Amino acid sequence: MNKRQPVHSLKTGAKVLLSSVFGPYAQDDEYGSREINPMELYQNQVTRVQGVFSLRMFHRSFGLMLIQANIDNPCTLLDFPSIERFVEEIRDNSYDIVGISSIIVNVGKVKKMCELVRMYQPRATIVVGGHISNKRDINKIIDADYIVKGDGIKWFRRFLGQDEKAPIRHPLAYSGFETRSMGIALKGKPGDTAAILLPSVGCPMGCNFCSTSALFGGKGKFINFYETGDELFSVMCQLEEKLKVRSFFTMDENFLLHRKRALRLIDLMEKHNKAWSLYVFSSAQALQSYTIEQLVRLGVSWVWMGLEGEDSQYGKLKGIDTHSLVRSLQSHGIRVLGSSIIGMENHTPENIDRVIDYAISHNTDFHQFMLYTPVPGTPLYDKHLKEGTLLSESEFPLADAHGQYRFNYRHKHIKGGEEEQFLLNAFQRDFEVNGPSVGRLTRTGLKGWQRYKKHPDKRIRNRFTWENRYLRSTYAGVVWAMKKWYVADRHMEEKMDSFLHELYKEFGWKTKIIANLAGRYIYRSLKKEEKRLAHGWTYEPSSFYEKNRAALALEETDPARMKLENLRVRWVTCEPAPELGLLPR
């Protein structure tokens, strides 16, 4: 971003189009999409080899949604368009500014989109942001007017002559969509999917491989959209009311690190009897700073935690027994997604099996494995650049440097090509030893239910009852189907049989009947999904086309162009705290 940022001549009158990169995504193409790198976080990095049991879902482009919600200009958002749909939008409509967000591996798509904008909207200003801005020479690859690194809300407000310090309006959105597992689309009831909650961006821990930390300033730097627990509680109340939710996927790199805000949130949740569930990212160090009682009172029911690897030098893990921590959390019904790195400096072909065994011995509910990848903008990248160990882009294309394939540098001990199999071995062994993640999270849910079903605090009982409401029915059927699926695997079949009897013992004969009936249906779905996947079936996200209030008001002068079935206004304001009497109690 320029030190002296210009202001667009039209200011609030400028018409803005925001877009993510075009699809399809889960297939190899000339623009950098890769079959191995789908637009599905879990299938890509977590449940990658779990086949029919993999958790499949998509997530919106929340950064673009934040920008749209926080500028006063007429603004249209295209999320996951096809290239044809993107061309249609810029061919048939006039825009003064086109903003594109992307990660680095999609640089080829951004390059193409910029070329298309120049062709159809030659007078439009092109603004590119997201992780792609971490690449130092990106301006030499794509034809954009501005490359924005960091806080896109503040940048756009400045560029459009608006108050950059105005309160942040929060997008109104669910955390995921088109969720499915075992061949079944999990549509559910209103509120079954968590709302997305965006308190902060960046991470002060500043791990040397972290692209997100680098994007927002690096070690010690972050941006709080909501400084206080009161502000955050206000937003959560409105999300609860408008989306009919009681769970929140908290998209914050280290939510629990902001201790004062979290403790104030506990006070407000208790005062207003909110039995909410929070899904959070947290370092082990931050987790250890709370008592288990505080985590339960806060409603933490799922945590994504970096385990990195045995003997790692990261301060966030110093002196912490991660095995004990994981077991403790799970015993209180808190599901854990552990994250481990393959290919750190001390990893060799001789010790890699021990590295993998250490990771899977945590028996987390989910486990992410990633290659130790120097991403542009990070200290790790700078280190390899200085040492001359990076592979050139002609040797290794940017589109392949996504952490799920190969190293983009020369590792001291692991020969190029070996790492791919090591990574797959990690996923496969975790799956073989610990079983499908859907079974693991069900077991953790049962532990939480058994511990807290008679808790003296009604609010806490209420939360655990709600979180585990499908244990006696749907999830019992899931375990029944998994037992039948693993009929040829004695170890896993016995594991599922034992768990199934635990559910019968806890919930009685009705659950036994339901499990048998639901299990048969789920098993048939598993077999159908197995055939689809065997024939190369891939999933792609639906496209979204959304306009804010200013864009809707502008189009009211031309009713023929109105597309009412597609238009949405999706944000909430940050109002005063509820104890002032301005929010529902």
Side-chain angles (χ1 to χ4, degrees):
M1 183 170 67
N2 296 337
K3 291 182 179 179
R4 185 172 295 177
Q5 183 179 322
V7 176
H8 195 280
S9 59
L10 296 178
K11 295 187 177 179
T12 55
K15 293 175 61 180
V16 181
L17 172 67
L18 300 175
S19 182
S20 59
V21 296
F22 58 83
Y25 308 98
Q27 57 185 266
D28 298 335
D29 69 15
E30 61 184 298
Y31 301 113
S33 279
R34 296 290 186 264
E35 182 180 356
I36 199 175
N37 190 31
M39 189 67 78
E40 297 176 90
L41 176 62
Y42 289 92
Q43 169 65 13
N44 187 335
Q45 302 175 13
V46 182
T47 54
R48 178 176 165 182
V49 304
Q50 294 191 22
V52 294
F53 296 109
S54 181
L55 178 59
R56 317 290 297 258
M57 70 168 67
F58 300 103
H59 305 278
R60 292 294 306 277
S61 300
F62 300 121
L64 292 178
M65 296 181 79
L66 268 167
I67 293 171
Q68 185 191 38
N70 286 281
I71 59 176
D72 300 329
N73 297 61
C75 183
T76 299
L77 171 58
L78 265 179
D79 213 359
F80 310 121
S82 64
I83 189 169
E84 294 81 11
R85 180 65 186 88
F86 180 73
V87 168
E88 177 189 5
E89 188 64 24
I90 59 175
R91 182 194 63 208
D92 298 345
N93 300 279
S94 176
Y95 290 101
D96 303 297
I97 301 168
V98 178
I100 302 167
S101 179
S102 175
I103 57 176
I104 294 176
V105 295
N106 286 321
V107 62
K109 292 191 173 187
V110 176
K111 182 176 185 293
K112 180 63 177 179
M113 292 172 80
C114 289
E115 291 170 357
L116 290 169
V117 174
R118 294 298 189 214
M119 180 186 303
Y120 291 102
Q121 302 269 349
R123 296 183 179 180
T125 299
I126 300 177
V127 182
V128 171
H131 287 272
I132 195 172
S133 65
N134 270 334
K135 184 168 172 52
R136 291 173 183 170
D137 60 348
I138 188 63
N139 61 313
K140 298 179 181 178
I141 301 173
I142 62 174
D143 181 13
D145 297 291
Y146 299 102
I147 308 295
V148 179
K149 182 175 180 177
D151 188 349
I153 297 174
K154 183 176 288 187
W155 190 93
F156 264 96
R157 283 177 166 176
R158 285 175 180 168
F159 188 54
L160 299 170
Q162 298 168 25
D163 181 5
E164 65 184 71
K165 296 181 180 179
I168 297 296
R169 293 188 291 252
H170 195 286
L172 181 63
Y174 294 106
S175 58
F177 66 98
E178 295 176 3
T179 304
R180 57 216 175 278
S181 183
M182 300 172 289
I184 301 172
L186 307 179
K187 295 181 180 179
K189 301 175 183 177
D192 276 1
T193 301
I196 194 67
L197 183 65
L198 305 158
S200 312
V201 288
C203 180
M205 301 301 292
C207 294
N208 66 339
F209 57 83
C210 182
S211 178
T212 303
S213 179
L215 185 64
F216 292 97
K219 190 174 183 64
K221 302 291 181 63
F222 60 93
I223 298 168
N224 267 342
F225 294 137
Y226 305 104
E227 292 283 349
T228 68
D230 296 79
E231 291 175 318
L232 199 57
F233 184 77
S234 169
V235 168
M236 294 168 76
C237 283
Q238 293 175 77
L239 289 170
E240 176 189 45
E241 177 186 0
K242 295 175 185 294
L243 295 178
K244 309 304 177 188
V245 298
R246 54 185 297 179
S247 57
F248 304 87
F249 192 104
T250 310
M251 186 64 72
D252 184 306
E253 290 291 319
N254 206 337
F255 177 71
L256 295 176
L257 197 63
H258 306 281
R259 184 176 177 83
K260 184 178 179 180
R261 185 175 64 189
L263 294 178
R264 175 57 177 160
L265 191 56
I266 293 175
D267 292 341
L268 290 168
M269 288 171 62
E270 291 181 336
K271 179 178 179 180
H272 298 280
N273 195 32
K274 298 296 185 183
W276 290 336
S277 299
L278 273 67
Y279 314 142
V280 305
F281 293 80
S282 178
S283 64
Q285 184 183 63
L287 275 165
Q288 289 278 63
S289 70
Y290 295 80
T291 66
I292 196 69
E293 179 191 15
Q294 287 173 321
L295 295 176
V296 170
R297 288 165 59 205
L298 183 58
V300 174
S301 68
W302 184 97
V303 61
W304 189 314
M305 176 175 63
L307 301 173
E308 316 315 0
E310 189 175 15
D311 301 324
S312 81
Q313 301 303 306
Y314 297 105
K316 63 184 181 181
L317 293 164
K318 188 175 181 180
I320 295 175
D321 181 350
T322 52
H323 286 90
S324 176
L325 177 58
V326 169
R327 287 195 301 270
S328 175
L329 292 169
Q330 291 176 325
S331 71
H332 289 269
I334 300 175
R335 300 156 181 86
V336 180
L337 194 161
S339 179
S340 295
I341 297 173
I342 301 297
M344 298 183 78
E345 288 94 339
N346 62 330
H347 291 177
T348 68
E350 292 71 34
N351 68 22
I352 197 67
D353 285 342
R354 182 173 63 83
V355 168
I356 294 171
D357 287 342
Y358 172 82
I360 67 175
S361 67
H362 286 83
N363 193 14
T364 54
D365 300 272
F366 295 89
H367 211 123
Q368 176 192 44
F369 292 97
M370 293 287 288
L371 292 177
Y372 197 42
T373 303
V375 178
T378 63
L380 183 61
Y381 183 90
D382 292 341
K383 175 178 179 291
H384 280 281
L385 183 64
K386 183 178 180 179
E387 294 174 353
T389 52
L390 289 172
L391 298 176
S392 69
E393 291 174 21
S394 60
E395 294 175 275
F396 196 79
L398 282 173
D400 291 317
H402 48 71
Q404 286 294 321
Y405 174 45
R406 299 273 294 275
F407 292 139
N408 58 344
Y409 63 100
R410 290 181 290 276
H411 193 281
K412 288 183 179 179
H413 308 294
I414 299 174
K415 295 179 182 178
E418 291 181 331
E419 70 276 27
E420 182 180 7
Q421 190 58 51
F422 293 152
L423 183 67
L424 287 173
N425 288 347
F427 280 114
Q428 192 63 43
R429 284 166 60 181
D430 177 60
F431 185 38
E432 291 172 353
V433 173
N434 297 319
S437 286
V438 66
R440 300 183 226 174
L441 67 88
T442 303
R443 183 180 291 278
T444 299
L446 180 61
K447 290 177 182 178
W449 162 256
Q450 291 172 330
R451 182 182 286 268
Y452 289 103
K453 64 183 178 181
K454 296 182 180 179
H455 194 275
D457 187 331
K458 184 179 178 180
R459 187 182 69 91
I460 291 175
R461 291 201 311 274
N462 185 324
R463 175 169 73 84
F464 278 91
T465 298
W466 178 79
E467 282 182 357
N468 298 293
R469 61 199 180 282
Y470 297 127
L471 271 180
R472 66 185 71 222
S473 55
T474 304
Y475 282 106
V478 166
V479 179
W480 189 98
M482 287 193 293
K483 176 178 179 292
K484 183 172 177 63
W485 181 269
Y486 282 110
V487 67
D489 183 335
R490 185 176 178 182
H491 163 72
M492 199 59 66
E493 184 191 26
E494 289 179 351
K495 193 172 185 177
M496 295 305 161
D497 184 63
S498 174
F499 184 25
L500 195 58
H501 281 86
E502 282 186 62
L503 291 169
Y504 294 163
K505 181 179 179 181
E506 180 66 30
F507 298 114
W509 63 270
K510 288 184 179 179
T511 291
K512 189 171 185 179
I513 293 173
I514 294 171
N516 188 289
L517 294 174
R520 292 176 187 276
Y521 171 78
I522 295 168
Y523 181 75
R524 287 196 295 270
S525 296
L526 284 170
K527 299 300 289 185
K528 290 179 182 177
E529 181 75 350
E530 181 183 40
K531 290 180 181 178
R532 282 194 292 265
L533 296 178
H535 284 87
W537 182 273
T538 59
Y539 290 97
E540 294 286 335
S542 297
S543 297
F544 290 80
Y545 181 64
E546 298 167 346
K547 292 182 179 288
N548 65 5
R549 288 192 180 96
L552 288 173
L554 189 63
E555 288 207 342
E556 285 179 357
T557 61
D558 186 5
R561 293 177 56 203
M562 292 290 284
K563 305 170 184 177
L564 293 173
E565 71 279 9
N566 292 321
L567 304 182
R568 303 177 187 173
V569 180
R570 304 171 64 87
W571 67 68
V572 298
T573 58
C574 182
E575 298 182 11
E579 58 263 41
L580 300 181
L582 298 179
L583 281 180
R585 295 181 183 273

